[in-house]
Amino acid sequence: AWTVLALNRLVEKEIETLANAFDFMRRKLKASQEEVANWQKDLENRVEQRTRELSALIEASRELSASLDLGRVVEVIVAQARELFPEADAGILFLSEEKSDSLASAASFGFKPDLPAPFRLSASEDYAGQVFHQAQGITVGPGHLATQFLTSISIENLRHLHPDDLGFEAREVMAVPLIYQTKPIGSLVLYNLDGELSFSPPGLQLLQGLANQGAIAIE
């Protein structure tokens, strides 16, 4: 009788062990399925976003090639930047003036009061001058805004370009050079004042693509 009882307990223990193992496998399988589903959803979102971005660049190319008027071209560049980056509260496009070694504003939005026209920076001043001089785009986040440009910008230009509602309190800045055949011909700068942090390396690449298309149209 004791042998039968022991065997029954052993069988019950084995059944419990197998049940726990199957339950563990079931939970692992469910987690794996959820992980695959999340991964697939993330991939679909990325593909959808990339498709929208490529469509926007194609539309920008079409718009930019539709006019030979410089004023119209620079307005299109800024308009397309606003469409691609709705989180940008302000932005400005500069073009190079080789004779004076400076950058002159060609189009802008979001500045209050409006900037003087044209508004000029030296070729290495502020964010626009830095990316123009280095021929490389940058994104700057909270805590680094003041230190990035205070040492490079004049007091007069600081007063115009970074007034109270567009200055040190900006959440993010993203800036890229306009490059034509390896030569910088201008700069495009976007400001995110108080929204969620959103300027990213993929966004920087997208803005650079728009800037390069704009440089071709300008030249």
Side-chain angles (χ1 to χ4, degrees), residues 139-208:
T139 56
V140 186
H144 301 283
L145 298 176
T147 58
Q148 287 286 331
F149 68 81
L150 266 182
T151 58
S152 69
I153 188 169
S154 69
I155 296 298
E156 182 65 18
N157 284 340
L158 179 66
R159 183 176 65 84
H160 285 300
L161 194 56
H162 301 278
D164 292 341
D165 61 344
L166 231 192
F168 309 119
E169 300 306 317
R171 295 277 288 162
E172 296 176 289
V173 173
M174 182 162 58
V176 295
L178 276 69
I179 299 177
Y180 179 74
Q181 295 182 350
T182 72
K183 177 184 177 182
I185 66 167
S187 300
L188 178 59
V189 186
L190 298 181
Y191 300 85
N192 177 3
L193 298 186
D194 52 17
E196 294 291 330
L197 298 180
S198 55
F199 292 160
S200 63
L204 185 67
Q205 293 177 359
L206 180 62
L207 187 63
Q208 186 65 72

Side-chain angles (χ1 to χ4, degrees), residues 10 32 43 74 88 100 106 201:
L10 181 61
S32 297
L43 182 60
V74 296
S100 59

Side-chain angles (χ1 to χ4, degrees), residues 110-122:
F111 287 88
K112 298 176 182 179
D114 292 338
L115 293 172
F119 177 75
R120 288 183 171 84
L121 295 172
S122 72

Side-chain angles (χ1 to χ4, degrees), residues 8 65 75 83 100 120 136 174 200:
N8 286 339
S65 62
E75 291 294 341
E83 183 173 338
S100 59
R120 288 183 171 84
Q136 184 175 357
M174 182 162 58
S200 63

